[in-house]
Amino acid sequence: MAEPFGLLAELTYRCPLACAYCSNPVNLGDYTEELSTSDWARVFSEARDLGVLQCHLSGGEPLLRRDLVALVSAASSLGLYTNLVTSAVGLSRGTASRLRDAGLDHVQISIQADQPLISDRLAGIPSFHRKVAAMRVVKELGWPLTVNVVLHRQNIDRVGELLEFAASVGADRVELANTQYYGWAWQNRDALLPSRSQLAAAEEVVRSFSSSDLDVLYVVPDYYGKYPKPCMGGWAARQLTVTPNGDVLPCPAAQSLPLPRASVHSASLASIWADSPVMNAFRGTDWMPSPCASCDRRGVDFGGCRCQAFQLTGDAARTDPVCHLSPDHALVTDAVAAANESVDVPLIPRPHRARA
């Protein structure tokens, strides 16, 4: 059993935005009792002892945690590489300076589109100009900057402009990641899934884009793949997630699965990683049904995403329906066929929840 490399610390699910593609849980009421500062400090220490090297501070919006500077300091003092994953709404120069002094290593800022009107519409609040201002502060303070864009039917036609935007703000890296259909995004799948022609055009733009200063990561949507992606490098293989209330999961979407809970309130990270049912449920390949069990790709994609399999079939042990060999593949091809009928479906905004 390998040691985990990265910890995703979901500090809060509170967020000032109302993005219709949000993959966080819909039942936010279950996560109102957030871990304390001392709880998180203990989690970071146990993660370091377990072998974790990278600590990604995420949410929701982590800037809504009043103790964020203290949390960064706690993780940084342990030698963890710290990355703030933020909407940047609320990232003032003063806050940024305090985070830098606390040891924050990297900042990742999300943007919904390259134009204010589109970006603000997709975010649910006026935020574009605040995001751009925060990106400038990040670069002025000497941090590496990643710009993250969740792509979908509503913005994928502007991939070229998004790349130019990322370059213009001095980003070191841009992540163009197509929507994952969990949480609120699942409610909006018909309005978010791009057409085949949109994808083909976007991929051509990305291939032709050239910049010596900008590292570009483009992630195609699962629904258009022949084989599933090796989700998180395999179930409980190299990554773990701790949710705002202390649940420990192999990936951010696994809270939707009907598996026994493991919590930092009742066990150490080391014992949870090694022995808990949630971590061992789909670890390795012995659990696999046909056709995965006899497939020569079983050690490559590990049967695909367990959360996606459950979302689509109601059975987390099924072969990911994205795979063209899956007996449930029609569930995906039907969704793709509907997306290619070019019928506009209105987005359902995610409710705001910025307070405890």
Side-chain angles (χ1 to χ4, degrees):
M1 181 178 61
E3 297 175 340
F5 179 83
L7 165 67
L8 178 63
E10 296 185 318
L11 303 181
T12 181
Y13 285 144
R14 290 173 286 139
C15 185
L17 305 186
C19 304
Y21 56 78
C22 182
S23 60
N24 281 342
V26 173
N27 55 325
L28 296 179
D30 292 348
Y31 299 91
T32 55
E33 297 295 325
E34 297 175 358
L35 294 180
S36 68
T37 309
S38 59
D39 287 333
W40 276 116
R42 174 174 57 83
V43 167
F44 296 154
S45 179
E46 292 181 2
R48 188 274 314 271
D49 293 344
L50 191 53
V52 166
L53 301 176
Q54 296 181 351
C55 178
H56 304 278
L57 303 163
S58 181
E61 177 46 67
L63 287 165
L64 291 175
R65 288 283 303 218
R66 296 177 182 176
D67 58 352
L68 180 59
V69 172
L71 295 177
V72 168
S73 179
S76 180
S77 67
L78 293 165
L80 297 174
Y81 183 89
T82 52
N83 174 35
L84 179 65
V85 183
T86 176
S87 71
V89 174
L91 185 61
S92 65
R93 181 176 292 274
T95 298
S97 296
R98 290 190 291 274
L99 289 169
R100 184 190 58 180
D101 293 343
L104 184 66
D105 293 301
H106 182 275
V107 180
Q108 175 179 312
I109 296 178
S110 63
I111 195 80
Q112 282 67 35
D114 65 292
Q115 293 182 327
L117 287 177
I118 302 174
S119 184
D120 291 349
R121 175 176 64 82
L122 293 173
I125 64 168
S127 55
F128 178 84
H129 292 297
R130 283 184 280 178
K131 289 171 176 284
V132 174
M135 291 175 190
R136 294 191 179 117
V137 168
V138 166
K139 294 308 296 180
E140 289 168 8
L141 292 179
W143 273 308
L145 169 65
T146 293
V147 171
N148 174 266
V149 187
V150 177
L151 295 178
H152 45 76
R153 190 181 190 90
Q154 311 286 326
N155 66 2
I156 196 170
D157 295 331
R158 298 191 62 82
V159 161
E161 290 83 356
L162 283 162
L163 288 168
E164 294 294 343
F165 167 83
S168 73
V169 296
D172 302 278
R173 177 181 172 88
V174 59
E175 295 181 355
L176 303 170
N178 275 274
T179 303
Q180 297 290 308
Y181 298 106
Y182 309 115
W184 207 257
W186 174 251
Q187 313 295 321
N188 278 299
R189 187 185 68 173
D190 292 345
L192 294 170
L193 188 61
S195 68
R196 197 175 298 278
S197 60
Q198 283 183 302
L199 278 178
E203 290 172 4
E204 179 58 33
V205 170
V206 173
R207 279 196 299 267
S208 63
F209 180 80
S210 177
S211 172
S212 59
D213 300 320
L214 183 62
D215 181 24
V216 178
L217 173 66
Y218 178 76
V219 182
V220 300
D222 289 354
Y223 282 39
Y224 283 90
K226 183 178 181 181
Y227 297 104
K229 299 182 183 70
C231 184
M232 308 296 289
W235 183 273
R238 299 307 307 274
Q239 307 281 337
L240 74 160
T241 295
V242 178
T243 68
N245 67 349
D247 286 347
V248 185
L249 302 166
C251 77
Q255 69 268 72
S256 64
L257 303 186
L259 293 172
R261 292 301 189 214
S263 172
V264 299
H265 290 299
S266 55
S268 68
L269 276 188
S271 64
I272 292 171
W273 180 257
D275 302 322
S276 68
V278 69
M279 290 295 173
N280 285 295
F282 304 109
R283 186 176 261 155
T285 59
D286 290 345
W287 61 272
M288 290 182 174
S290 178
C292 295
S294 59
C295 180
D296 58 7
R297 291 180 55 86
R298 63 186 180 278
V300 176
D301 57 38
F302 304 100
C305 178
R306 299 299 87 223
C307 304
Q308 189 158 255
F310 179 75
Q311 185 78 74
L312 290 169
T313 73
D315 182 356
R318 299 282 287 181
T319 298
D320 187 339
V322 162
C323 183
H324 75 290
L325 300 174
S326 166
D328 304 304
H329 188 54
L331 295 171
V332 171
T333 57
D334 289 349
V336 168
N340 283 275
E341 292 176 356
S342 300
V343 176
D344 288 332
V345 178
L347 289 169
I348 306 170
R350 176 183 179 273
H352 293 273
R353 186 172 183 273
R355 296 183 181 180

